[in-house]
Amino acid sequence: METEKDKNAEPKPGKMEDIFRERVRLDKIIQEQYRKKTTILFSDVCGFTQYMDKKGDISGCAWIQKHHDIVLPAIEKNGGKVLAIMGDGIMASFSTDLSAVKAAVAIQKDLHAYNEKTDPDEEIHVKIGINSGNILVDGDSIMGDAVNVASRIQGQAGPDKILVAKCVYDEVRGSEDILCRVHDKVPVKGKFEPLELYRVIWQEEDIVLSAEGRVRSREIDTEKRIKTPIKMLQIEITQEEDRLRISADEQISGEAMTLRHYEEIPVS
């Protein structure tokens, strides 16, 4: 039995060193077996609460089930794994940024096809946010800053929009079938610096020049689309600290090419 003298005894020499050595060993195991580079996608249904209030619980559950039947296969088809379904929201993981973005595009396109054939009050619109980074993965349980940021990015998106972090954009911008546009720098909870976000273009956006040559407008009425293709060079310039990033893409109405990074120029 432990005596009062034993409780007050000085720790044996080397005991704390052994503890630190054990911690180093355990940290190494965590880094090698549980910390992985992962891409996280968050998707959220717009107007779910209002739909439930208007149509009732049973209709609301049937509506969300239709959403799941469309969204979940798009995630799995593109190599994703659904980690959690939180009412009207979904969290999924991917091994690459490109597969996550392709899944997001597939989700929006599949929902758009469904919405075109259904009543306006039955349409399903979602907003998606994507981020990647090293996170702790234990089966279906994940945690880490990259997960929290992905959720914050999704909160910045609007209906039918896909927003991605800069790190994701840097990985996918060279893909021939992914087109991105600069969205904004936004402050988010828990981050000292604002996040630089990019919007993934998944829907055909015909851009035509006005007669003055200065104003750009998007065609809405498909019956009024211009028959003669218009070729246009679009240049975007963004500033990051003391450097200007110049990107450009060449477009023909009805077609889109990937936004490509061409050059960085140091500026004072």
Side-chain angles (χ1 to χ4, degrees):
M1 179 178 293
E2 186 179 31
T3 65
E4 189 67 28
K5 182 179 180 181
D6 294 329
K7 292 181 180 180
N8 297 328
E10 293 292 330
K12 294 180 180 179
K15 186 176 181 180
M16 183 172 290
E17 287 85 341
D18 292 340
I19 291 174
F20 283 129
R21 290 190 188 99
E22 181 66 9
R23 176 179 174 176
V24 170
R25 187 183 70 84
L26 294 175
D27 285 346
K28 184 177 180 181
I29 292 175
I30 291 174
Q31 292 291 335
E32 293 178 350
Q33 298 185 17
Y34 295 98
R35 185 173 289 277
K36 299 178 181 178
K37 168 68 165 59
T38 306
T39 305
I40 302 297
L41 179 152
F42 273 91
S43 173
D44 187 66
V45 179
C46 304
F48 177 58
T49 302
Q50 293 86 338
Y51 187 97
M52 293 279 281
D53 183 61
K54 181 180 179 181
K55 302 262 185 162
D57 293 345
I58 295 178
S59 295
C61 290
W63 189 60
I64 284 298
Q65 186 59 54
K66 172 58 69 175
H67 162 269
H68 294 348
D69 291 342
I70 296 172
V71 173
L72 299 188
I75 292 174
E76 294 172 357
K77 184 178 179 181
N78 286 277
K81 181 179 181 181
V82 176
L83 300 176
I85 298 177
M86 303 155 286
D88 59 336
I90 290 175
M91 178 175 65
S93 66
F94 296 81
S95 59
T96 68
D97 296 331
L98 184 58
S99 59
V101 173
K102 286 185 174 182
V105 170
I107 289 170
Q108 295 293 15
K109 286 185 175 181
D110 291 349
L111 287 174
H112 178 72
Y114 167 78
N115 291 336
E116 284 190 322
K117 297 180 292 186
T118 193
D119 295 333
D121 59 348
E122 293 295 324
E123 291 183 1
I124 302 173
H125 299 272
V126 302
K127 50 186 181 178
I128 298 175
I130 302 174
N131 186 40
S132 67
N134 291 318
I135 64 176
L136 295 175
V137 181
D138 185 10
D140 290 341
S141 176
I142 63 172
M143 64 187 71
D145 183 63
V147 179
N148 299 331
V149 172
S151 177
R152 301 281 190 268
I153 292 173
Q154 178 263 304
Q156 295 291 327
D160 305 325
K161 296 296 186 292
I162 304 169
L163 294 184
V164 302
K166 181 181 180 299
C167 58
V168 176
Y169 164 73
D170 288 340
E171 289 294 320
V172 305
R173 66 186 183 188
S175 175
E176 288 294 333
D177 51 357
I178 300 297
L179 177 66
C180 296
R181 290 283 181 263
V182 175
H183 177 67
D184 200 359
K185 283 189 175 182
V186 296
V188 296
K189 183 179 179 182
K191 289 292 180 182
F192 292 106
E193 298 293 334
L195 295 180
E196 184 176 339
L197 302 180
Y198 291 80
R199 179 169 59 93
V200 178
I201 307 300
W202 62 270
Q203 198 172 19
E204 182 180 287
E205 294 188 358
D206 290 343
I207 303 174
V208 298
L209 298 179
S210 69
E212 292 79 8
R214 293 178 177 270
V215 181
R216 296 182 299 175
S217 61
R218 294 176 184 169
E219 290 183 305
I220 300 176
D221 187 353
T222 56
E223 296 180 357
K224 297 180 180 180
R225 289 184 177 177
I226 297 175
K227 302 298 182 181
T228 304
I230 296 177
K231 191 172 183 180
M232 186 177 77
L233 176 67
Q234 180 165 313
I235 298 176
E236 293 188 358
I237 302 175
T238 58
Q239 182 178 354
E240 184 174 343
E241 296 180 350
D242 60 346
R243 305 184 72 82
L244 288 181
R245 178 181 299 158
I246 302 176
S247 303
D249 70 293
E250 191 175 72
Q251 286 187 325
I252 298 177
S253 58
E255 299 179 0
M257 293 195 66
T258 306
L259 182 67
R260 290 188 175 89
H261 166 64
Y262 284 103
E263 188 175 1
E264 285 191 357
I265 300 175
V267 293
S268 63

